[in-house]
Amino acid sequence: MAAEPVTGLILSGGGARAAYQVGVLAGIADLLPQGAANPFPVIVGTSAGAINAVTLASGALHFAEAIRRLTGFWQGFRSHQVLRSDWPGVVRQASRFVGHSLLGLGHQVPVALLDSSPLRGLLSEHLDLSGIGHAIEQRHLRAVAVTAFGYESGQAVTFYQGRGAIDPWLRHRRIGLPTRLSIDHLLASSAIPLLFAPVKLGHDYYGDGAVRQSAPISPALHLGANRILVVGVSGNPRGPADTMPHARVYSGQPPSLAQIGGHLLNSTFIDSLEDDLELLQRLNHLSHLVPPQDHPQRLGLAPVEVLVVAPSQPLDEIAARHRRELPPALRMFLRGPGATKTSGAGVLSYLLFEAGYCSELIELGRRDALAKRSQLCSFLGLSDPA
């Protein structure tokens, strides 16, 4: 007998790129009947996706209203709400980083190029985490989880809050721990290495959950999901011709620090998710090849239905168009490494917490979701309003 469908939502990391996820969710809300319940019993987020995940879970009793609040939250963004972008703040943090981390001077401080302390106040003001418990009690939510990386343990730790029947798990370099989620968990999960300071949880310091997260889809499956909607933030679609080295146009210039950093960030936030999706697709194919007498459940090969919504336009190009929205101090700080140039806009696409850029990503996400209207309606068991 087939298991009852339990839909999981995976919101990957990516700094300011996570605004795209809000647009996709807004598009899904448009497809739902008025007053519809939360369609995602399991919600998993990493990095900035963790903030979106927990916000959504906190408002699971009123899904459409939660999406409206989340949309307003991102559309009103300014850099100073997330990090110190004034001249004294930028200069002070850069001096601390160079003095302590590179020269070994002064008191020990967490390693970070940017001061993200304003983010704590912003989240404390806008989030009411008590809504998670209410949603779980009324069975509008099975579980919500955020993943962070322990610098000393070397493990990707998924902190989850859900119904009591969900057992913790232990796998190679990844574990699941039941807890009552807090603002600290969100700050830890979204602390991009070197850019934002790690956050102490218990005895260990934690950073962005995308680091060493070899199986991003796994937490949702552990929490009971058997079909998955993934909202990605890769945002660098290219045509088939561009994958061929001879078809590309090369500048002949050595890569800037921002170009290198952009590739490192993409490797952290995007590659592992895409690899995990490819592996899951292979396992699904394998499960269909198993003879009928060897039921997939007994072999641990039960197929998992997966739908992916990802940006249809390159997010780094969108970021490059909005680079002048950055505050002057932050723009000057990022100019040296080349992040304000088109070639280095990959880094900028993660750090551009400004209304114009975030609003364009939200609109792109909404359009991409509605472009997959039929697939989403089929996946969520909705009648297609078109």
Side-chain angles (χ1 to χ4, degrees), residues 153-225:
S153 69
Q155 292 179 319
V157 182
T158 298
F159 299 95
Y160 65 90
Q161 184 173 342
R163 298 178 196 166
I166 302 175
D167 294 327
W169 61 90
L170 173 61
R171 299 292 186 269
H172 179 64
R173 293 197 180 280
R174 51 189 175 91
I175 63 176
L177 294 177
T179 189
R180 187 177 183 86
L181 293 175
S182 68
I183 297 297
D184 282 337
H185 291 100
L186 303 185
L187 293 172
S189 181
S190 56
I192 301 175
L194 294 181
L195 296 178
F196 299 153
V199 176
K200 193 171 186 180
L201 296 172
H203 299 292
D204 200 355
Y205 277 94
Y206 287 84
D208 200 295
V211 180
R212 302 294 288 273
Q213 191 181 28
S214 57
I217 298 174
S218 174
L221 302 180
H222 282 293
L223 295 172

Side-chain angles (χ1 to χ4, degrees), residues 2-178:
E4 180 183 350
V6 177
T7 306
L9 173 67
I10 293 181
L11 302 174
S12 58
R17 289 183 174 214
Y20 173 83
Q21 299 169 348
V22 178
V24 173
L25 293 171
I28 292 173
D30 290 342
L31 300 177
L32 295 173
Q34 187 173 4
N38 168 39
F40 305 109
V42 174
I43 304 174
V44 177
T46 304
S47 190
I51 296 173
N52 289 339
V54 169
T55 302
L56 190 59
S58 300
L61 294 178
H62 307 283
F63 183 78
E65 178 58 30
I67 299 301
R68 282 193 290 271
R69 288 201 307 269
L70 194 55
T71 301
F73 177 73
W74 280 90
Q75 285 180 333
F77 253 142
R78 296 293 185 273
S79 292
H80 71 267
Q81 296 174 300
V82 179
L83 47 89
R84 289 288 301 273
S85 57
D86 57 302
W87 282 107
V90 170
V91 172
R92 178 175 178 270
Q93 187 66 19
S95 300
R96 292 177 71 191
F97 180 85
V98 172
H100 173 72
S101 302
L102 300 185
L103 302 178
L105 303 176
H107 299 291
Q108 184 172 358
V109 294
V111 179
L113 278 166
L114 300 171
D115 181 356
S116 60
S117 58
L119 182 58
R120 178 183 293 276
L122 180 68
L123 295 180
S124 299
E125 178 183 351
H126 285 271
L127 274 180
D128 179 10
L129 300 185
S130 65
I132 296 175
H134 297 320
I136 292 173
E137 289 172 6
Q138 299 190 34
R139 296 189 173 274
H140 284 266
L141 183 69
R142 175 181 172 86
V144 57
V146 303
T147 300
F149 167 72
Y151 279 99
E152 288 200 51
S153 69
Q155 292 179 319
V157 182
T158 298
F159 299 95
Y160 65 90
Q161 184 173 342
R163 298 178 196 166
I166 302 175
D167 294 327
W169 61 90
L170 173 61
R171 299 292 186 269
H172 179 64
R173 293 197 180 280
R174 51 189 175 91
I175 63 176
L177 294 177

Side-chain angles (χ1 to χ4, degrees), residues 348-371:
L348 192 64
S349 69
Y350 290 92
L351 297 177
L352 192 52
F353 293 97
E354 293 293 336
Y357 173 63
C358 292
S359 294
E360 186 167 346
L361 294 195
I362 290 171
E363 182 55 33
L364 176 63
R366 186 191 295 270
R367 291 200 307 268
D368 287 347
L370 295 179

Side-chain angles (χ1 to χ4, degrees), residues 282-291 294 296 301-304:
R282 290 179 180 176
L283 292 175
N284 282 343
H285 180 67
L286 179 60
S287 71
H288 293 301
L289 299 178
V290 174
D294 297 324
L301 293 175
V304 177

